[in-house]
Amino acid sequence: MFRPLPVYLGWRFSRAKRRNRFISFISVASILGIAIGVSALILGLSAMNGFQRELENRILSVLPHGQLYTADGPVATWQPMQASLERAKGIEAVAPFVPLEGLLSKGSMLKAVQLQGVDPEREMRISALGPYLDGGNLDALKPGERGIILGQAIADKLKLETGDKVSLLLPSPDEQGFGSPRRHAFTLVGVLRLGGQLDTVLGYTHIQDAQELKGMDDSVMGFHLKVNEVLAADRISFDAAMGLPAGFYVTSWMNSQGNIYRDIQLVRTLMIVVLLLVMAVASFNIVSTLVMAVNEKKGDIAILKTMGAGPWQIRGAFVVQGMLNGVTGVLAGGLLGAFLAGRLSELVAGVERLTGHSVLNPDVYFIDFIPTEFHWADLWLVTGSALVLIFIATLYPAWRAGRLLPRQLLGEG
């Protein structure tokens, strides 16, 4: 079978037994370094993909993308404003809300909570709580029944289960602060299990119950918005609010959770740069390997040139030798990274069980586990970048080998 001379020579050089064992050691070290760098970068990117997926599925599917909060007190004629918002460009759904901030009490235990009084039918168009909610969905909230849905962390702290009674302490409508709190009985009808920081503060009740407790009749305090471009939620919400006759404060998920998204992108960028530098160091170990291989093969180079081999054939042979070592490391790292990426969550959970230490504190982070999501595009990007670095690393020693002259080499011998 026909094989180009550089490929044949490079293959023979890479398989030949070396007289200098130090060259073999550096070659193995460079292969291992490349494999570790490739697999680590694939695992890191898979973890970042997982964090972004959880941000979208757990945070952006539950929290409203935008929120309008009245600047002039309760809004009585809110229905026309809601209709105006629904017609605004970029708005997919609108739901009124009434916020309640107070203390939940059971026995001697207290917990601060931020309740959202919502219309279940309209809020379900904005928040996909179903997959994370024990006890059905928001439609478990019935007007006049004083039902409440709480995050798992709140329920655990107060030792509540579905169906239990809990008291909500609120200031009297005519009092400022908590100087004269009133106790209102609620029934827990669902537990929200997002698995992170939101579980510690978030809760829902029916909007009519919230209006009754605040003495607002049919008024509301603002609107929750769902937009068609999540990353443009600030602009879309602001443009929609500009068409309303009343003044509203405009916020979006970028104000409350945007730091998480920015952190994910920043960590992804830094991780790519750092691990590419690690791979570059491992790849340029090939330079040392090839330089020493060229010195070891001077006699062979002289014979080949005497027999008519050209400089580019000699250069090609050493490029092939270096690439064979690099490809071995890239393939090993790519297969290892792809294998571990799909099992990263289970591996980290196992380490947590063995050590008794949690990697992510749910009081600090929006989830309490390491997510993972493997993308083939990441594999091709990482392996392609590694191969480019390896090819660049082979150029200098290969060029140096091609410039050697037979008379100089034979004279040295």
Side-chain angles (χ1 to χ4, degrees):
M1 183 176 67
F2 172 76
R3 282 184 292 184
L5 181 61
V7 175
Y8 176 73
L9 291 175
W11 175 259
R12 290 295 300 271
F13 286 168
S14 65
R15 292 176 60 87
K17 185 176 181 180
R18 295 186 175 92
R19 294 187 294 272
N20 189 340
R21 292 185 178 180
F22 186 62
I23 301 176
S24 299
F25 172 77
I26 294 180
S27 178
V28 172
S30 64
I31 291 173
L32 289 176
I34 292 168
I36 292 172
V38 168
S39 60
L41 187 50
I42 291 173
L43 287 174
L45 290 176
S46 298
M48 291 301 103
N49 294 336
F51 275 109
Q52 186 158 341
R53 180 198 65 211
E54 295 301 321
L55 173 67
E56 294 172 356
N57 292 347
R58 290 176 181 265
I59 303 297
L60 299 186
S61 67
V62 172
L63 293 182
H65 299 160
Q67 181 172 288
L68 307 184
Y69 192 88
T70 175
D72 304 314
V75 179
T77 56
W78 55 271
Q79 292 85 351
M81 297 184 188
Q82 178 176 280
S84 174
L85 289 171
E86 289 173 339
R87 293 191 298 269
K89 184 179 180 181
I91 300 295
E92 292 188 348
V94 182
F97 75 95
V98 175
L100 288 174
E101 295 184 358
L103 286 174
L104 287 173
S105 169
K106 184 183 181 184
S108 61
M109 296 175 290
L110 295 172
K111 182 70 175 73
V113 67
Q114 298 174 359
L115 288 180
Q116 298 287 321
V118 297
D119 179 345
E121 181 181 354
R122 290 189 174 276
E123 192 69 20
M124 283 191 292
R125 301 175 189 173
I126 291 177
S127 300
L129 290 171
Y132 310 106
L133 188 60
D134 291 351
N137 211 320
L138 284 174
D139 53 11
L141 299 172
K142 306 296 183 183
E145 294 185 2
R146 297 284 178 90
I148 191 173
I149 293 172
L150 297 174
Q152 183 179 9
I154 302 175
D156 290 344
K157 181 169 183 178
L158 298 178
K159 295 181 172 54
L160 293 172
E161 295 182 359
T162 302
D164 288 352
K165 299 291 184 179
V166 63
S167 296
L168 176 65
L169 300 179
L170 293 173
S172 300
D174 57 345
E175 296 283 347
Q176 296 295 322
F178 284 88
S180 178
R182 286 190 177 182
R183 186 181 296 266
H184 305 278
F186 280 80
T187 302
L188 184 65
V189 297
V191 178
L192 185 61
R193 303 181 188 274
L194 287 171
Q197 191 178 18
L198 289 179
D199 283 355
T200 65
V201 295
L202 199 58
Y204 293 90
T205 190
H206 198 281
I207 190 171
Q208 291 185 18
D209 293 336
Q211 290 169 334
E212 179 185 351
L213 293 178
K214 299 192 77 170
M216 293 174 50
D217 296 326
D218 190 39
S219 300
V220 302
M221 296 299 293
F223 300 96
H224 289 158
L225 308 178
K226 182 178 181 180
V227 303
N228 58 6
E229 294 182 40
V230 175
L231 296 181
D234 277 331
R235 174 181 55 80
I236 294 174
S237 301
F238 182 79
D239 290 345
M242 290 296 290
L244 299 179
F248 286 87
Y249 297 110
V250 181
T251 62
S252 76
W253 71 272
M254 293 293 289
N255 299 108
S256 59
Q257 308 294 330
N259 61 307
I260 299 175
Y261 176 79
R262 289 187 289 270
D263 287 347
I264 292 173
Q265 303 307 315
L266 177 61
V267 170
R268 180 196 295 271
T269 302
L270 290 176
M271 182 178 56
I272 290 174
V273 172
V274 170
L275 291 179
L276 279 178
L277 290 175
V278 171
M279 282 196 296
V281 171
S283 300
F284 277 87
N285 281 337
I286 292 176
V287 175
S288 303
T289 304
L290 289 183
V291 167
M292 287 188 286
V294 168
N295 290 330
E296 189 180 51
K297 300 288 185 184
K298 282 183 177 180
D300 296 333
I301 295 172
I303 294 172
L304 288 169
K305 286 204 167 184
T306 303
M307 294 175 64
W312 286 104
Q313 290 175 314
I314 300 298
R315 290 165 183 154
F318 283 99
V319 168
V320 170
Q321 181 183 354
M323 289 299 295
L324 285 174
N325 290 341
V327 167
T328 302
V330 169
L331 286 176
L335 291 174
L336 179 64
F339 175 77
L340 294 178
R343 297 160 178 81
L344 183 60
S345 298
E346 292 82 359
L347 290 173
V348 175
V351 172
E352 289 179 340
R353 286 193 296 270
L354 287 174
T355 61
H357 176 71
S358 179
V359 176
L360 297 180
N361 186 341
D363 293 332
V364 178
Y365 300 97
F366 72 100
I367 55 176
D368 56 0
F369 64 97
I370 298 293
T372 182
E373 183 174 314
F374 174 72
H375 291 172
W376 284 102
D378 292 336
L379 177 64
W380 305 134
L381 172 65
V382 173
T383 55
S385 301
L387 290 174
V388 169
L389 290 172
I390 294 164
F391 175 74
I392 294 172
T394 64
L395 294 180
Y396 169 72
W399 183 266
R400 183 170 173 269
R403 294 183 62 186
L404 295 175
L405 300 175
R407 64 176 180 271
Q408 294 174 335
L409 300 174
L410 294 175
E412 291 178 7

